[in-house]
């Protein structure tokens, strides 16, 4: 699940993320031990950390000023004979406190396919480096890693696809052609595409801790990063003091049916909040029925319009059918106050607001060339699709939204044409144990948002069943990845790392529902 601008449904799991003012410090803070964290070269088994320049980023990130940086070199395939290695960018953002605590926090990015180094602002803005150093490492294959398994051709197709019928077979064929072209390019570069998955990435994290000379650290994962965190807790628990997971994706249930369930939970939460607000309920009564009626109508008769891209002033065609509306809605929960009015406008023949939100984010420069599709499909196609049948995926759509047309139910939110893409990607299935639940007594904070339509708040209680020291928190009225949008969630997270078995959740009592926009 990915970190992107608001309402940017990209065809992969997404998040819309806002932030608080930054508070990075420019001068590195010494940490206990031999040399400041991140300044000492060290070998740990087959891995080696070398201090050096900070990882490349798509644009300058002020929060990385003063960071202590380097690279972690690890085997590409720990079971393979060819000896290739990959280099992962590492940045240690110093703690603001004059005397940092000795156990830093490592940040696991969303996606799959996002680069943790590029999420430095989000982490720092939320106070993640208040009194602990913050460690950011580019997951293998991501933008600042070497090799970077990015494919701009897929991102460009996803943008152009806003002008196509979302779930038409012809769109699917083009979708798979783009995926196959990406795979062919990456395979021709020599990359072992079977080595970009959670088994290898969790081992990379374990090697990083040891190569930095740390006895103990804390883990914080957002969105897809929660799946990687849960796998790491199970396979490499040593040295982990505590774990925060935010926007939870359980490895044991990840797949198309789960995204349908998540969408239902997030939509229902938003619709319920409107119904409980008199002004919203009077102006937009029975929003669930309006939404489901629009899905059916648009799937039968799509609406075609044009929007103007704000950067280039270029006009692009946009087609809104039932599948497009479902996927818009999945990420529009990040701008929840606009949703009732936007749906009402669409119902009255005014598609502009939704069409712009649907297309503009996909055409944004931030959406092109930054996602590691090597990790996207490495995870999806080895860990998800082998363990969920087409029938199970379809049943998830039918259960969540029984009135939707079959063509909409056939393409899970955020995962359109996934099975066909995975056939083209052609990597072996991961060992079945990748789907095991995580059983652990490591103190864990399981955070969700009440409007989360991308992973669903029910995943918090689900994973907590087998986590003996879990604290489950649902922050009401918030979308996917509450740390990015909620000051209360940031306060809870800070208190959790102070006292992992007893975080302070008192701020939840003061939260109030949003004021929805009311149109004329």
């Amino acid at each position: 699940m990915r970190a992107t601008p608001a309402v940017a449904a990209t065809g992969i799991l997404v998040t819309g993320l806002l932030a608080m003012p930054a508070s990075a410090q420019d001068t590195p803070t010494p940490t206990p031990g031999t040399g400041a964290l991140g300044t000492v070269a060290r070998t740990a088994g087959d891995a080696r950390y070398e201090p050096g320049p900070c990882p490349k980023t798509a644009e300058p990130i002020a929060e990385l000023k003063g960071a202590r940086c380097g690279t972690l070199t690890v085997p590409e395939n720990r079971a393979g004979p060819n000896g290739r290695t990959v280099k992962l960018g590492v940045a240690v953002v110093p703690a603001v406190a004059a005397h940092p605590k000795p156990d830093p926090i490592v940040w696991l990015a969303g996606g799959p396919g996002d680069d943790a180094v590029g999420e430095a602002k989000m982490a720092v803005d939320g106070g993640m480096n208040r009194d602990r150093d913050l460690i950011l490492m580019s997951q293998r294959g991501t933008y600042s890693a070497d090799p970077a398994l990015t494919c701009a051709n897929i991102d460009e197709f996803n943008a152009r696809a806003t002008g196509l019928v979302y779930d038409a077979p012809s769109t699917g064929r083009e979708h798979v052609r783009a995926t196959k072209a990406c795979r062919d390019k990456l395979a021709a570069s020599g990359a072992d595409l079977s080595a970009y998955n959670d088994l290898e990435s969790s081992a990379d994290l374990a090697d990083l801790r040891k190569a930095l000379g740390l006895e103990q650290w804390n883990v914080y994962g957002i969105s897809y990063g929660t799946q990687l965190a849960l796998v790491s807790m199970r396979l490499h628990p040593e040295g982990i003091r505590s774990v925060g997971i935010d926007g939870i994706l359980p490895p044991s249930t990840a797949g198309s049916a789960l995204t349908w369930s998540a969408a239902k939970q997030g939509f229902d939460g938003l619709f319920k909040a409107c119904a409980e607000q008199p002004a919203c309920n009077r102006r937009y009564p029975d929003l669930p029925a309006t939404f489901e009626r629009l899905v059916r109508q648009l799937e039968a008769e799509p609406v075609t319009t044009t929007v103007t891209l704000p950067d280039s002033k270029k006009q692009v065609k946009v087609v809104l059918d039932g599948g497009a509306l479902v996927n818009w809605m999945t990420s529009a929960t990040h701008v929840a106050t606009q949703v009732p009015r936007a749906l009402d406008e669409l119902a009255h023949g005014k598609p502009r607001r939704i069409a712009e939100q649907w297309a503009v984010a996909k055409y944004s420069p931030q959406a092109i060339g930054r996602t590691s599709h090597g990790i996207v499909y490495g995870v999806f196609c080895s860990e998800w699709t082998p363990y969920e049948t087409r029938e199970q995926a379809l049943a998830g759509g039918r259960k969540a939204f029984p009135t939707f047309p079959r063509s909409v139910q056939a393409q899970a939110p955020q995962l359109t044409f996934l099975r066909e893409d995975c056939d083209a990607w052609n990597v072996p299935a991961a060992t079945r144990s990748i789907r095991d639940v995580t059983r652990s007594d490591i103190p864990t904070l399981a955070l969700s948002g009440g409007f989360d339509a991308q992973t669903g708040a029910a995943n918090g209680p689900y994973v907590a069943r087998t986590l003996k020291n879990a604290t489950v928190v649902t922050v009401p009225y918030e979308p996917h990845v509450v740390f990015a949008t909620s000051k209360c969630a940031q306060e809870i997270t800070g208190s959790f790392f102070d006292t992992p078995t007893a975080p302070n959740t008192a701020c939840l009592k003061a939260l109030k529902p949003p004021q929805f926009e009311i149109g004329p």
Side-chain angles (χ1 to χ4, degrees):
M1 309 177 160
R2 93 138 0 104
T4 60
V7 299
T10 62
I12 313 168
L13 300 176
V14 295
T15 61
L17 303 173
L18 307 176
M20 300 296 290
S23 58
Q25 101 177 13
D26 293 344
T27 304
T29 302
T31 55
T34 306
L37 181 63
T39 63
V40 178
R42 187 180 284 105
T43 297
D46 291 330
R48 179 162 180 80
Y49 175 79
E50 291 278 357
C54 285
K56 69 175 182 177
T57 56
E59 58 269 315
I61 299 177
E63 290 71 20
L64 293 176
K65 185 179 180 181
R68 303 184 290 266
C69 299
T71 56
L72 183 75
T73 301
V74 294
E76 182 180 47
N77 187 335
R78 289 172 170 83
N82 63 7
R84 276 176 53 105
T85 60
V86 297
K87 293 183 181 296
L88 311 178
V90 178
V92 179
V93 180
V96 173
H99 301 286
K101 295 177 180 176
D103 46 311
I105 299 169
V106 62
W107 177 276
L108 308 187
D114 288 348
D115 192 327
V117 177
E119 295 180 354
K121 177 175 173 56
M122 187 199 318
V124 170
D125 283 359
M128 196 61 78
N129 68 322
R130 181 191 63 186
D131 53 12
R132 287 177 169 84
D133 288 349
L134 169 68
I135 302 171
L136 306 155
M137 181 175 74
S138 52
Q139 188 179 356
R140 55 174 53 212
T142 57
Y143 185 86
S144 64
D146 182 15
L149 304 188
T150 57
C151 286
N153 76 295
I154 290 181
D155 306 323
E156 291 162 354
F157 170 76
N158 286 335
R160 187 171 60 82
T162 59
L164 305 175
V165 175
Y166 186 82
D167 48 22
S170 57
T171 303
R173 289 190 291 271
E174 289 195 57
H175 198 290
V176 174
R177 277 197 293 270
T179 302
K180 180 67 161 56
C182 170
R183 188 206 189 282
D184 290 347
K185 182 194 82 167
L186 298 181
S189 74
D192 179 354
L193 298 182
S194 69
Y196 292 81
N197 52 51
D198 288 329
L199 293 174
E200 294 288 357
S201 291
S202 63
D204 294 342
L205 286 166
D207 282 345
L208 176 66
R209 182 185 62 80
K210 289 178 282 190
L212 290 177
L214 290 168
E215 291 186 11
Q216 198 172 55
W217 68 5
N218 305 276
V219 176
Y220 195 83
I222 64 166
S223 195
Y224 156 73
T226 67
Q227 173 173 313
L228 180 55
L230 288 162
V231 170
S232 296
M233 290 170 70
R234 184 167 59 83
L235 299 182
H236 303 281
E238 55 278 358
I240 299 179
R241 172 180 176 264
S242 67
V243 176
I245 46 178
D246 179 356
I248 301 163
L249 187 63
S252 55
T253 59
S256 296
L258 185 69
T259 66
W260 277 118
S261 171
K264 175 70 171 171
Q265 293 173 55
F267 299 172
D268 284 353
L270 192 158
F271 294 150
K272 182 174 184 288
C274 173
E276 291 175 347
Q277 193 171 111
C280 189
N281 191 47
R282 282 194 302 270
R283 181 64 181 83
Y284 309 114
D286 204 1
L287 271 178
T290 299
F291 173 67
E292 295 196 19
R293 183 178 71 252
L294 284 169
V295 170
R296 294 191 299 271
Q297 289 177 350
L298 290 173
E299 192 68 3
E301 296 183 31
V303 169
T304 300
T305 186
T306 59
V307 303
T308 301
L309 302 179
D311 294 331
S312 65
K313 304 303 180 185
K314 175 184 177 182
Q315 286 197 321
V316 296
K317 173 185 171 184
V318 177
V319 176
L320 294 178
D321 62 355
L325 184 63
V326 170
N327 280 267
W328 165 81
M329 182 68 181
T330 300
S331 50
T333 50
H334 293 279
V335 287
T337 58
Q338 299 182 35
V339 167
R341 183 176 181 178
L343 290 173
D344 184 71
E345 288 173 351
L346 181 61
H348 289 87
K350 299 176 182 178
R352 181 186 61 83
R353 185 192 302 251
I354 290 177
E356 286 182 350
Q357 291 180 347
W358 178 232
V360 167
K362 288 192 177 183
Y363 276 97
S364 166
Q366 286 74 34
I368 308 296
R370 302 189 186 186
T371 297
S372 170
H373 295 283
I375 278 287
V376 170
Y377 292 117
V379 170
F380 288 170
C381 302
S382 70
E383 302 175 26
W384 291 20
T385 57
Y387 301 108
E388 180 181 59
T389 66
R390 189 182 299 272
E391 291 70 26
Q392 289 170 328
L394 182 59
R398 289 173 170 166
K399 179 179 180 181
F401 297 101
T403 70
F404 280 4
R406 169 68 180 259
S407 55
V408 175
Q409 294 170 340
Q411 303 298 336
Q414 313 168 79
L415 301 175
T416 315
F417 303 110
L418 177 61
R419 192 164 297 276
E420 293 84 353
D421 282 336
C422 284
D423 288 342
W425 204 254
N426 191 27
V427 290
T431 174
R432 180 169 285 277
S433 63
I434 197 65
R435 304 286 291 188
D436 288 352
V437 299
T438 297
R439 302 181 186 278
S440 176
D441 59 4
I442 297 172
T444 304
L445 175 64
L447 277 169
S448 301
F451 289 175
D452 185 351
Q454 290 157 268
T455 53
N459 289 335
Y462 172 80
V463 298
R465 297 179 313 162
T466 54
L467 301 175
K468 293 181 181 179
N469 291 313
T471 300
V472 178
V473 175
T474 297
V475 183
Y477 319 121
E478 292 292 340
H480 184 57
V481 182
V482 294
F483 184 87
T485 57
S486 169
K487 184 66 175 176
C488 179
Q490 294 166 4
E491 292 175 3
I492 292 170
T493 300
S495 74
F496 168 74
F497 287 124
D498 288 342
T499 54
T501 57
N504 184 352
T505 61
C507 62
L508 293 170
K509 298 176 183 177
L511 298 181
K512 297 180 180 180
Q515 293 296 309
F516 291 95
E517 291 185 17
I518 305 299

